[in-house]
Amino acid sequence: MNYNFLKLLIEGLNNNKGWLKTWENVNPKKYYDIIVIGGGGHGLATAFYLASEFKEMNVAVLERGDIGLGNVGRNTTIIRSNYLLKENIPFYEFSLKLWEGLEKSLNYNAMVSQRGVLNIFHTDYQRDTYTRRGNSMILNGADAELLNVDEIKRMYPFFDYDNARFPIKGGLLQRRGGTVRHDAVAWGYAHAANKLGVDIIQNCEVINFRIKKNKVEGVDTSKGYISCKKVGCAVAGSSSILLSKLNMQLPIESHVLQAFVSESLKPVISGVVTFGAGHFYISQSNKGGLVFGGDIDGYNSYAQRGNLATLEDVCESGMALMPMLGNCRLLRTWGGTMDMSMDGSPIIDKIHIKNIFLNAGWCYGGFKATPASGWCFAHLISNGKPHKLISNYTLNRFYDGSIIDEKGQGAQPNLH
Ligand SMILES: Cc1cc2nc3c(=O)[nH]c(=O)nc-3n(C[C@H](O)[C@H](O)[C@H](O)COP(=O)(O)OP(=O)(O)OC[C@H]3O[C@@H](n4cnc5c(N)ncnc54)[C@H](O)[C@@H]3O)c2cc1C
């Protein structure tokens, strides 16, 4: 189905009776050229680009639950490319460019909103590091601006500028950063991939792999055996569980990250803002709720809910930046299982078994990467060779030491 103004008008007059399904839910065929495991943002984007860019016409996405219920529908919707390292910026900048044209290429309203991402700093040392990051972004083709306090005051007069402990000294702004409606991204990719002939198979869990002479032959699923030539694994927080079926131990830990939404308010915050003296980020959804988050809970878990201590910590950080937050009621919270890698950067690579490919280690920054990850993973699966933007995202880097540690935290997954 094509979404356009005329269709909207006709359906408006027709009591909305003529809308077709966004995608067809089908039973699996016996064989596919390529199976993508995981119907989150990355798996669906991979399937879409496999069909649209690499002309792979016999592809299925196997999702153990329903589309959109994993991290792709649980995140705080922030997109940006404000990275420091040369191994990361070009990849995330490519992703931002794909976001900019996404709705047109999917024919789906994903509410891409480039409302700006502002990282606030509170010390002279932090100003230096943010300036360095901004320069690195500009050198790599991304946009960045350093703002002084007066410029921030004009944008957000209600912040606590003179907090004795955390005075605001300025900020690094990426105007092209912003937010995208997260579940619409999943539905949009599923819709567009399905239109190109990709089978979207929900409630189909991959239980095991069948391997012969070190080469994949198919997968056992809750809907029976499906044979295939190639398999792409894009299961985010479940990566360690899935790859353990191949006796692999990944350099990944699973942790829970929470998100919080307040009651609906009149427009308050026009963009995305991060607090530099704690871990707190906030934006406002189109429905008026303040959407915010902070650190992961810090212990290994597969639970999709977190604990109250983190909630308290996040709200404290929020009120240190924006005291008026204390008057606002919290409406709901939830959690998602994060695939935290040892250096905080992702893995998009082949594994030791022929024709199985891995996409994992997104930590809590994988939503913004969705389009580029899908594109580059599709390139790897289809051509068998890495796209130049992911040539550093190898599994081997954890053996040879060429890690990509954006935060400089060392091998501490819970600190990235
Ligand atoms: C609270 C929260 C806030 C976040 N905020 C941001 C943000 O603001 N910006 C940002 O860039 N990132 C953010 N993230 C991170 C981002 O959401 C994830 O990194 C990204 O969504 C992971 O990729 P995915 O969408 O493919 O994952 P998912 O949507 O989790 O997809 C993986 C899918 O695999 C399926 N699966 C697992 N095992 C199997 C199996 N055996 N067989 C079949 N299917 C299987 C799961 O059911 C799931 O649907 C946030 C995450 C959370 C939880």
Side-chain angles (χ1 to χ4, degrees):
M1 173 164 41
N2 264 325
Y3 296 100
N4 55 38
F5 179 70
L6 188 65
K7 179 79 183 154
L8 258 180
L9 188 71
I10 293 169
E11 288 309 321
L13 297 171
N14 190 28
N15 225 1
N16 289 306
K17 286 184 186 147
W19 294 111
L20 300 175
K21 284 185 182 164
T22 307
W23 66 87
E24 283 300 323
N25 203 15
V26 294
N27 282 320
K29 293 192 283 194
K30 287 201 170 104
Y31 168 82
Y32 290 97
D33 291 340
I34 299 172
I35 284 176
V36 178
I37 309 176
H42 292 236
L44 292 164
T46 304
F48 170 70
Y49 294 117
L50 275 169
S52 63
E53 299 300 321
F54 301 96
K55 308 301 167 212
E56 298 284 359
M57 289 307 161
N58 189 18
V59 178
V61 176
L62 308 185
E63 166 53 47
R64 76 172 165 201
D66 291 317
I67 297 298
L69 297 189
N71 291 340
V72 68
R74 291 169 176 269
N75 61 68
T76 39
T77 77
I78 301 165
I79 60 164
R80 56 185 173 85
S81 65
N82 54 1
Y83 281 74
L84 170 72
L85 300 180
K86 65 178 186 335
E87 291 88 346
N88 280 330
I89 307 180
F91 173 81
Y92 286 99
E93 180 56 22
F94 177 55
S95 211
L96 200 48
K97 292 211 170 80
L98 290 175
W99 284 118
E100 286 169 336
L102 186 84
E103 291 163 313
K104 208 169 167 203
S105 51
L106 300 185
N107 180 231
Y108 204 88
N109 180 8
M111 302 185 193
V112 177
S113 168
Q114 292 180 284
R115 53 183 75 180
V117 174
L118 175 66
N119 302 142
I120 289 180
F121 54 78
H122 307 264
T123 63
D124 292 339
Y125 170 72
Q126 233 179 2
R127 178 188 285 114
D128 290 349
T129 58
Y130 282 31
T131 307
R132 182 175 168 221
R133 182 148 56 94
N135 285 336
S136 179
M137 288 163 66
I138 291 166
L139 285 171
N140 282 282
D143 64 304
E145 285 168 50
L146 208 62
L147 302 189
N148 61 33
V149 191
D150 291 336
E151 287 167 310
I152 299 179
K153 271 187 186 160
R154 280 199 288 278
M155 292 165 81
Y156 301 110
F158 45 81
F159 288 162
D160 189 357
Y161 289 90
D162 304 318
N163 183 321
R165 239 179 126 193
F166 312 120
I168 294 175
K169 298 212 162 197
L172 181 67
L173 175 67
Q174 182 174 36
R175 288 191 195 273
R176 287 167 55 247
T179 59
V180 183
R181 173 81 208 176
H182 47 10
D183 35 22
V185 172
W187 300 329
Y189 271 119
H191 165 72
N194 189 226
K195 251 190 115 187
L196 294 172
V198 172
D199 280 357
I200 310 285
I201 302 162
Q202 301 183 92
N203 304 304
C204 181
E205 179 169 6
V206 172
I207 297 159
N208 219 333
F209 298 85
R210 290 210 198 164
I211 312 294
K212 200 170 174 188
K213 293 189 180 157
N214 204 41
K215 191 171 160 190
V216 71
E217 292 209 308
V219 289
D220 288 304
T221 78
S222 52
K223 295 198 176 196
Y225 174 67
I226 310 172
S227 72
C228 63
K229 211 187 291 175
K230 298 178 182 178
V231 175
C233 305
V235 297
S238 303
S239 299
S240 299
I241 299 177
L242 184 67
L243 275 290
S244 71
K245 317 277 181 206
L246 297 167
N247 293 323
M248 283 181 77
Q249 209 177 358
L250 296 181
I252 284 176
E253 284 183 6
S254 289
H255 286 258
V256 62
L257 174 70
Q258 302 188 59
F260 310 90
V261 177
S262 78
E263 61 189 328
S264 285
L265 304 173
K266 286 184 178 171
V268 188
I269 299 190
S270 54
V272 180
V273 181
T274 72
F275 179 50
H279 201 159
F280 175 79
Y281 37 91
I282 187 164
S283 65
Q284 190 164 18
S285 80
N286 294 342
K287 284 192 281 185
L290 300 179
V291 180
F292 53 94
D295 266 326
I296 52 177
D297 278 26
Y299 48 85
N300 297 12
S301 172
Y302 287 101
Q304 289 178 311
R305 62 181 188 282
N307 70 35
L308 288 172
T310 306
L311 191 157
E312 191 179 14
D313 181 60
V314 171
C315 290
E316 266 174 18
S317 287
M319 282 184 61
L321 174 70
M322 211 175 136
M324 70 189 202
L325 207 59
N327 294 324
C328 183
R329 276 172 298 192
L330 197 62
L331 202 62
R332 56 205 166 93
T333 75
W334 62 84
T337 313
M338 317 314 320
D339 37 335
M340 304 296 297
S341 68
M342 292 292 154
D343 63 357
S345 294
I347 301 159
I348 308 181
D349 202 358
K350 299 175 183 177
I351 66 163
H352 64 287
I353 292 166
K354 205 166 173 216
N355 290 344
I356 300 186
F357 303 87
L358 175 65
N359 175 316
W362 289 103
C363 301
Y364 47 91
F367 178 65
K368 70 180 85 67
T370 305
S373 160
W375 182 298
C376 295
F377 198 37
H379 180 287
L380 176 67
I381 296 172
S382 185
N383 300 327
K385 291 189 193 110
H387 188 285
K388 66 175 189 310
L389 291 176
I390 57 162
S391 57
N392 297 297
Y393 293 161
T394 61
L395 249 181
N396 207 38
R397 72 178 190 269
F398 299 99
Y399 298 98
D400 67 18
S402 49
I403 53 166
I404 311 168
D405 188 349
E406 184 76 27
K407 279 198 189 169
Q409 297 280 28
Q412 282 277 104
N414 59 327
L415 296 182
H416 287 294

